[in-house]
Amino acid sequence: MRRIELKFNIKVAVLIISSSMIFAIYNINNYTNLKNEKSIICMEAKGKVKAKAKKTYITKNSSGAYNVLGTIVVNKKYGLSKDYTYKNNKQMFDKATNAFNKMQQDAQKDGINLYIISRYRSYSLQKWLYDKYKSESKDVDTFSAKAGYSEHQTGLAFDLNDSKTSVRDSFEFTDAYKWLKENAYKYGFILRYPKGKSDITGYKFEPWHYRYVGTELSYKLKDQTTTLEEYLNICK
């Protein structure tokens, strides 16, 4: 009986150890998968575009704007001071103006009308808008930025439409949007908040919101599936 009991106990012990090992391996694999999922959120664009440096250095320029690889960055994490205006990056602002004028003229030749619905917004105007939207919607943070965290304060963000009315989601289905999708990068513009990227940008898909970054960068992001955060490796 003792031998039978001993053999039985050994089998039970072996079974318990095996089960524990399988469970442990499963947990390790599961943890590894979760870890990998988190670590590759900024690497979705791998093979398509590559940042100029393996390490990303975020600095503040003399005006107080965050700068990565020569590009001004404004998002939910990196903001601007109350007194920052487009005049603090006047040279880039003027380049953006000239680029849009050329884009607008070329679009018109193709029978497409492009209008700027909103461009530069001061800190105080953005605060007023955000507070207004907040009183009307619980989802305000998915479509509006808090004061100091809006790209519009730089004057490099353009809300566009094919008519002189306000922006709208249905702009995605217009000929103007199709034209921009095929041509905006040629003039230094990128679609700032692409579809399916809200987890990274913090904002819903906005077919009307374009950001001037210059042609060197816009050509690298012309597929419109890679966000500025991914390219610059500054995802949260």
Side-chain angles (χ1 to χ4, degrees):
M1 286 294 291
R2 288 182 178 178
R3 288 183 179 179
I4 294 173
E5 288 178 1
L6 182 60
K7 287 181 180 180
F8 177 77
N9 289 336
I10 291 173
K11 287 181 179 180
V12 170
V14 170
L15 182 61
I16 291 172
I17 293 171
S18 298
S19 298
S20 298
M21 289 179 67
I22 292 171
F23 182 72
I25 291 171
Y26 171 79
N27 281 336
I28 290 170
N29 287 336
N30 194 41
Y31 170 76
T32 302
N33 289 336
L34 288 173
K35 187 177 180 181
N36 287 339
E37 284 177 10
K38 290 179 180 179
S39 66
I40 65 173
I41 192 167
C42 278
M43 300 301 290
E44 292 180 5
K46 188 177 181 181
K48 295 180 182 178
V49 294
K50 292 182 179 179
K52 295 178 182 177
K54 291 182 179 179
K55 274 191 174 182
T56 297
Y57 294 96
I58 302 174
T59 59
K60 267 192 173 183
N61 61 24
S62 57
S63 316
Y66 286 95
N67 189 289
V68 182
L69 299 175
T71 299
I72 294 175
V73 174
V74 181
N75 57 20
K76 288 183 181 290
K77 186 176 181 180
Y78 302 106
L80 301 164
S81 62
K82 288 184 179 181
D83 58 351
Y84 190 98
T85 75
Y86 69 92
K87 294 179 181 179
N88 291 109
N89 54 274
K90 187 67 165 53
Q91 187 176 6
M92 196 69 168
F93 179 87
D94 290 342
K95 284 183 179 179
T97 300
N98 294 332
F100 174 77
N101 289 340
K102 178 70 168 85
M103 182 169 73
Q104 186 182 48
Q105 291 167 9
D106 289 349
Q108 200 165 37
K109 292 175 183 177
D110 291 335
I112 301 296
N113 291 317
L114 293 177
Y115 299 99
I116 300 174
I117 303 304
S118 181
R119 185 180 175 183
Y120 170 69
R121 295 181 202 149
S122 65
Y123 181 97
S124 57
L125 176 57
Q126 186 64 34
K127 185 179 186 305
W128 179 84
L129 280 173
Y130 179 83
D131 290 344
K132 178 179 180 294
Y133 293 143
K134 189 176 181 180
S135 68
E136 300 171 346
S137 174
K138 293 180 180 179
D139 300 325
V140 59
D141 291 309
T142 65
F143 64 86
S144 183
K146 293 179 180 178
Y149 293 86
S150 171
E151 282 193 325
H152 285 284
Q153 196 177 336
T154 66
L156 300 178
F158 291 66
D159 287 347
L160 305 178
N161 201 350
D162 57 352
S163 65
K164 295 181 180 180
T165 59
S166 61
V167 294
R168 61 192 191 279
D169 290 338
S170 58
F171 182 62
E172 176 188 3
F173 308 105
T174 65
D175 289 337
Y177 174 72
K178 183 180 179 182
W179 190 93
L180 285 168
K181 191 173 182 180
E182 295 174 352
N183 297 283
Y185 73 91
K186 300 174 184 176
Y187 304 88
F189 290 91
I190 62 171
L191 179 66
R192 186 63 178 91
Y193 306 126
K195 186 178 290 188
K197 297 288 186 174
S198 58
D199 287 345
I200 295 173
T201 65
Y203 297 101
K204 69 173 188 175
F205 169 50
E206 294 189 352
W208 60 82
H209 187 119
Y210 283 79
R211 160 72 193 273
Y212 181 76
V213 294
T215 53
E216 182 179 351
L217 182 52
S218 66
Y219 267 77
K220 294 174 182 176
L221 301 179
K222 66 180 182 179
D223 64 346
Q224 296 190 12
T225 60
T226 304
T227 65
L228 197 60
E229 281 80 7
E230 287 172 304
Y231 176 78
L232 297 176
N233 196 25
I234 54 171
C235 298
K236 293 180 180 180

